[in-house]
Amino acid sequence: MTHSVPKADITHAAAVLKAGELVAFPTETVYGLGADASNADAVQKIYAAKGRPSSHPLIVHVADAVQLANWARDIPPAAHVLAKKFWPGPLTLVLKRNPKVPDAVTGGQDTVAIRVPSHPVAQALLREFGGGVAAPSANRFGRVSATTAAHVREEFGDAVACVLDGGAADVGIESTIVDCSRATPSLLRPGWITPQQLEAALGAPLAAPDADAPRVSGTLEKHYSPQTPVMLMEGDLVIELAHSLTRQGKKVAVLARTTLRPLIDDLVWRAAPADAAGYAHDLYANLRELDQAGCDAILVEQPPEVAEWYAIRDRLNRAAAGSGENH
Ligand code: TXA
Ligand code: MG
């Protein structure tokens, strides 16, 4: 459901970036909140708008892999293999940083995260702009990422004047992040590109995650969270708990997969697509909608424990983490 943006809007957005201001733009994963990555003052505005601690590094978006050397150094062969296979696309590589990269982008770390997005509007913007665009997901810190331009406006209101509307993001969850800054590549954040696909491309296993890995804020235990407490459980428990909470006078929302809607008055019910791609595509829109229904809890039916659902389960676990403390 990608849609195009008039050329004049792209030209305007690139000028806004050059002037050191923020531009929200679509990517195939989620919307990004972008600033000129070579301008530390501009990058600082991202942290202010998001309410994000400035120690959390940002992803630099570039139009093609040719620009890697402007941002990274000592790029290992494995990074080139992954770039060739998955770019443009929903993959972010963490590499040793080029000394020119402002500390504001990297959170002062010796590494930098880089991605070449495939969304045609992101591509057009990056080509017109010419340089790198530092962009986190376009949501306030800790909240659910935005997958439409309307969600971006919900998050930031007038604080971000320039929002390019490229339609609903295709993938719907954030990019897979792979650390290529150390001897063996390792997975820092699961995404639509699975560990199995990465290992197949590399022809070797990924390294197990360890304590020395670069920091990733998207891996904070609680993240991607609606304001309403989220509880994750098997389908039969969802129905049971929905009944019992309702009897206690609570208003309940359910994000269901396959079960039939129970006969409960005032139950807010959302049936998610049965396939992983459809589920991911709708996930954040569904969570936003359920969050806005004024319920006491969002009960989420646990997806299957198979590779295809790995990144979705990761996001749901984080959405649910810490929810119990809110009761
Ligand atoms: O799909 C995506 O990746 C979206 C779109 C807009 O590209 N962006 C996104 O950005 O999800 P953000 O900032 O919400 O998440 C990026 C993650 C953060 O968890 C950050 O900690 C991690 O990337 N990251 C950035 N630079 C890093 C670095 N040098 N080392 C390790 N992790 C890094
Ligand atoms: Mg984010």
Side-chain angles (χ1 to χ4, degrees):
M1 263 160 290
T2 298
H3 55 78
S4 61
V5 165
K7 178 71 173 68
D9 292 3
I10 299 285
T11 311
H12 170 70
V16 170
L17 288 173
K18 289 220 168 82
E21 299 300 327
L22 303 182
V23 172
F25 62 99
T27 83
E28 68 279 19
T29 57
V30 298
Y31 274 67
L33 181 61
D36 177 351
S38 65
N39 177 342
D41 292 336
V43 171
Q44 221 55 57
K45 292 178 186 167
I46 296 176
Y47 292 104
K50 274 190 70 113
R52 169 158 159 168
S54 55
S55 57
H56 289 249
L58 305 172
I59 297 172
V60 176
H61 298 70
V62 291
D64 53 54
V66 176
Q67 295 184 45
L68 264 183
N70 297 340
W71 303 96
R73 63 171 210 276
D74 302 339
I75 302 162
H80 289 296
V81 169
L82 294 177
K84 191 157 193 305
K85 172 81 185 169
F86 297 109
W87 280 353
L91 176 72
T92 296
L93 298 177
V94 170
L95 297 161
K96 293 233 171 66
R97 84 196 256 196
N98 181 312
K100 284 189 308 204
V101 185
D103 278 341
V105 171
T106 64
Q109 302 192 68
D110 189 37
T111 54
V112 63
I114 304 178
R115 181 160 102 80
V116 176
S118 64
H119 193 293
V121 174
Q123 274 288 328
L125 177 66
L126 292 170
R127 286 191 190 282
E128 178 73 21
F129 177 64
V133 173
S137 52
N139 55 280
R140 298 185 55 78
F141 183 62
R143 300 284 177 219
V144 176
S145 298
T147 51
T148 67
H151 295 163
V152 175
R153 291 194 195 96
E154 245 171 65
E155 289 288 314
F156 298 106
D158 296 336
V160 177
C162 186
V163 180
L164 294 174
D165 185 349
D170 265 355
V171 174
I173 57 174
E174 307 76 6
S175 60
T176 304
I177 305 182
V178 177
D179 175 25
C180 291
S181 70
R182 301 180 308 153
T184 310
S186 67
L187 184 70
L188 296 183
R189 180 175 71 182
W192 190 244
I193 295 172
T194 62
Q196 290 77 3
Q197 285 174 287
L198 296 166
E199 290 180 343
L202 291 167
L206 294 164
D210 67 80
D212 295 334
R215 295 190 309 270
V216 179
S217 70
T219 60
L220 289 178
E221 196 191 349
K222 183 173 168 60
H223 210 82
Y224 313 110
S225 296
Q227 255 124 317
T228 314
V230 172
M231 290 185 260
L232 195 55
M233 66 201 73
E234 299 305 326
D236 45 353
L237 277 181
V238 166
I239 306 295
E240 228 171 87
L241 192 59
H243 276 290
S244 95
L245 288 174
T246 306
R247 274 196 299 271
Q248 293 165 37
K250 302 252 197 297
K251 192 173 171 201
V252 178
V254 172
L255 181 56
R257 295 192 55 245
T258 53
T259 46
L260 290 174
R261 183 192 173 114
L263 293 170
I264 297 175
D265 288 345
D266 292 337
L267 184 68
V268 179
W269 179 268
R270 197 97 190 96
D275 64 303
Y279 193 103
H281 180 272
D282 291 2
L283 175 61
Y284 291 143
N286 281 336
L287 287 178
R288 271 170 196 276
E289 193 181 303
L290 295 177
D291 200 18
Q292 282 162 5
C295 292
D296 297 291
I298 302 173
L299 311 187
V300 178
E301 187 178 343
Q302 185 73 270
E305 250 179 271
V306 293
E308 225 193 338
W309 291 82
Y310 179 49
I312 294 168
R313 291 172 63 96
D314 169 80
R315 300 307 190 275
L316 288 174
N317 280 324
R318 289 179 210 290
S323 273
E325 294 151 26
N326 299 344
H327 294 298

